[in-house]
């Protein structure tokens, strides 16, 4: 039996653009368009090994700061790109075939993989 209770949890109520100072509140459309970057710098990082790097940008500042390098696409563009990439797939060159529902139903492949290479 599970006995449930409720507890308060923290959440981001407002977000402030680190570049222009725009303040957006949760529930506002602008809030959903913010981009937050948070990373821990690695051994060879220019930010210093182990340092935390964070920034919150509104959509305007994201476009102003990174616009030329952003890859903006829509669902149609992504589907077209995927179809183009799949069209280049050649089973003779790349090996194998696309899995079919029949492959999922075959228990033989799964049992061979579980045996491992030295089990003969
Ligand atoms: Zn901004």
């Amino acid at each position: 039996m599970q006995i449930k209770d409720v507890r308060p949890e923290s959440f981001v109520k407002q977000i402030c653009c680190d570049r222009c100072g725009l303040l957006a509140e949760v529930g506002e459309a602008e809030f959903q368009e913010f981009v937050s970057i948070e990373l821990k710098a690695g051994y060879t990082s220019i930010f210093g090994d182990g340092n935390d790097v964070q920034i919150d940008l509104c959509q305007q500042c994201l476009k102003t700061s990174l616009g030329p390098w952003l890859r903006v696409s829509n669902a149609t563009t992504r589907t077209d790109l995927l179809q183009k990439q799949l069209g280049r797939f050649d089973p003779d060159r790349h090996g194998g075939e696309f899995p079919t529902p029949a492959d999922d139903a075959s228990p033989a492949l799964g049992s061979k993989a579980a045996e491992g290479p030295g089990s003969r």
Side-chain angles (χ1 to χ4, degrees), residues 15 22-25 28-34 58-60:
I15 192 165
L22 176 74
L23 187 65
E25 186 141 347
E28 296 176 355
E30 195 64 38
F31 183 91
Q32 298 300 320
E33 302 306 321
F34 263 76
C58 70
Q59 59 182 329
Q60 290 83 10

Side-chain angles (χ1 to χ4, degrees), residues 3-4 33 44 47 49 62 64 66 92 101 106-107 111-112 117:
I3 300 169
K4 297 190 175 185
E33 302 306 321
T44 59
F47 299 109
D49 185 17
L62 176 68
T64 300
L66 300 174
D92 292 334
S106 173
S111 62
K112 282 183 182 177

